[in-house]
Amino acid sequence: MNKLWIDERYCKGCLICVDVCPTKALKASPEINAKGYILPTESDMERCKRCGLCELMCPDFAIAIEEGED
Amino acid sequence: MKKHPMLKYLKEEGPLGPRMPLIFCPGCGSGQVLNYTLHAVDRVIQEDGIRRENFLFISGIGCSGRITSHYLNFDSAWTIHGRAPAVATGALLANPAFKIIVFTGDGDAGSIGGNHFIHACRRNIDMTILCLNNGLYGMTGGQHAPTTPIGTITTTTPYRNREAAFDLCKLAEVAGASYVARWTTAHPRQVIRSIVKGIRKRGTAFIEILSQCPVHERMSPVAILKRFRRDTIQIGKARESAERKTTIGEFCDLTKAEWNESYQGIIDQFLINSDTANEQIVD
């Protein structure tokens, strides 16, 4: 399973990654962080195909997908 | 802990503390264009074997100007308003091996720097101009710009804009650029392909990227990206379609004499003449 990595220092919660994910592996977090942003979080990383669209379209260089072993 | 793959090209730490996160508002298109540009530069560095030191990033003033000012781990210059192509011309004269990428905004290239922009295109100077067009002056408070579409509400056109908008791609094409393309921030792969082509092209490559300003357009970035996908049409289909949509795609891709190369012709001619002149003296 691929692993989601979000840099909470850099993410500003625009949620473009959640919108562009073709398999809906990401969702908006129910919680608001200390800066007042709603960060993305994983909904079902089993579905992640590591297409790289979230990494490609992130304006803040805050998201990365680590390749899983299987 | 894994990081974003393009962070290797950015300065996260400076002498006065951390430089990141980027200064842009949440969901701004400038960060996305920076991301696409670094992907394209990464591809050129890996495939063409061009060294990292040969890249030079130049920008003017505006939100787009902030891209080069603090974050890039490349040679970069943050220059005066609208004059980024002029500074790029000078840099290219000093070192013709430079691969120059110019970031401008629509106000930077279309209004105050209009002359510099069209004359860079006319001379066909070897640079890649990326124009981030959000259709208004974002940094100064959302006033209407020469590229604002008719019927748009901005802070200075509260009863909707009545002035016709500049088509920067047509302007660049008529002025003589070698490569002209228009995409939006919702088309990442196409933007990256165009920037790679632009860097490899000998001559001026002008790539206009329609970008979002979520603050002054008062919409979420996701909604603006959806609008970009809905309201744009590829150039091949645009001729057949009766719908009035923004045309995107590659408008021209020509092979023409580049500025430095054409002047090198004169230099070579004089070198040959002086060689023969020297031989005559020796004889």
Side-chain angles (χ1 to χ4, degrees):
Chain A
M1 194 169 77
N2 295 324
K3 197 167 170 296
L4 175 72
W5 175 84
I6 288 167
D7 193 331
E8 299 197 359
R9 296 170 302 162
Y10 298 166
C11 181
K12 297 188 194 127
C14 64
L15 300 179
I16 289 174
C17 48
V18 176
D19 179 59
V20 297
C21 181
T23 58
K24 304 289 172 221
L26 303 172
K27 65 171 182 186
S29 163
E31 289 163 20
I32 295 175
N33 78 347
K35 288 181 182 171
Y37 296 139
I38 297 172
L39 301 193
T41 184
E42 55 187 67
S43 70
D44 183 6
M45 287 306 286
E46 289 281 347
R47 283 187 278 181
C48 175
K49 302 281 192 296
R50 205 164 172 270
C51 67
L53 260 181
C54 53
E55 281 178 5
L56 191 59
M57 293 190 71
C58 179
D60 292 296
F61 302 90
I63 193 167
I65 303 289
E66 195 167 6
E67 197 170 1
E69 273 133 33
D70 50 340
Chain B
M1 185 140 164
K2 191 174 156 56
K3 284 183 158 190
H4 191 279
M6 290 304 128
L7 276 178
K8 62 185 171 182
Y9 292 120
L10 294 176
K11 288 181 203 156
E12 289 182 79
E13 295 291 328
L16 299 174
R19 292 177 185 234
M20 300 276 283
L22 301 178
I23 197 170
F24 306 118
C25 312
C28 177
S30 306
Q32 286 188 299
V33 173
L34 175 59
N35 200 341
Y36 304 158
T37 310
L38 291 179
H39 273 90
V41 166
D42 186 52
R43 194 185 293 177
V44 171
I45 286 176
Q46 297 201 350
E47 289 178 7
D48 296 4
I50 292 170
R51 290 192 308 149
R52 196 164 158 169
E53 297 82 51
N54 282 357
F55 281 93
L56 176 61
F57 291 77
I58 296 177
S59 68
I61 300 298
C63 293
S64 62
R66 296 308 297 262
I67 294 177
T68 62
S69 65
H70 291 77
Y71 310 111
L72 284 168
N73 206 354
F74 288 92
D75 286 345
S76 56
W78 187 21
T79 66
I80 38 180
H81 202 356
R83 273 70 177 166
V87 176
T89 307
L92 202 66
L93 264 180
N95 184 357
F98 268 145
K99 295 282 176 192
I100 295 181
I101 296 175
V102 175
F103 288 104
T104 65
D106 52 330
D108 204 42
S111 61
I112 189 166
N115 259 315
H116 296 273
F117 163 57
I118 57 174
H119 287 285
C121 293
R122 174 181 66 84
R123 289 168 167 158
N124 204 22
I125 303 168
D126 187 17
M127 63 174 96
T128 308
I129 303 177
L130 305 180
C131 179
L132 288 80
N133 184 354
N134 53 11
L136 44 80
Y137 292 130
M139 184 173 263
T140 52
Q143 293 88 351
H144 95 286
T147 46
T148 308
I150 292 179
T152 311
I153 296 177
T154 67
T155 52
T156 47
T157 54
Y159 304 107
R160 298 190 181 277
N161 179 33
R162 298 285 172 188
E163 298 174 11
F166 237 145
D167 189 332
L168 293 175
C169 282
K170 274 186 186 165
L171 186 67
E173 195 179 340
V174 170
S178 286
Y179 179 81
V180 179
R182 180 194 286 133
W183 299 107
T184 75
T185 47
H187 299 87
R189 311 256 181 230
Q190 291 90 328
V191 173
I192 292 173
R193 204 179 54 215
S194 269
I195 297 175
V196 169
K197 263 191 181 179
I199 295 171
R200 288 177 180 161
K201 173 70 70 185
R202 295 289 294 166
T204 306
F206 177 71
I207 301 157
E208 180 185 358
I209 303 159
L210 300 184
S211 167
Q212 70 271 23
C213 182
V215 173
H216 294 302
E217 292 178 55
R218 294 186 180 85
M219 285 167 81
S220 78
V222 169
I224 303 176
L225 289 181
K226 277 187 183 147
R227 196 191 70 203
F228 280 155
R229 286 188 208 106
R230 194 189 61 220
D231 289 352
T232 52
I233 189 162
Q234 293 265 353
I235 184 166
K237 296 174 190 165
R239 294 193 188 102
E240 300 153 16
S241 168
E243 291 176 284
R244 291 180 62 82
K245 291 183 173 179
T246 310
T247 315
I248 55 170
E250 294 179 351
F251 294 96
C252 79
D253 187 356
L254 309 169
T255 307
K256 293 201 291 188
E258 197 267 329
W259 182 65
N260 253 330
E261 280 171 1
S262 40
Y263 272 96
Q264 192 61 42
I266 296 181
I267 296 169
D268 290 343
Q269 188 186 336
F270 273 94
L271 285 177
I272 293 163
N273 288 349
S274 65
D275 284 350
T276 50
N278 286 341
E279 281 167 16
Q280 283 167 0
I281 292 167
V282 171
D283 288 342

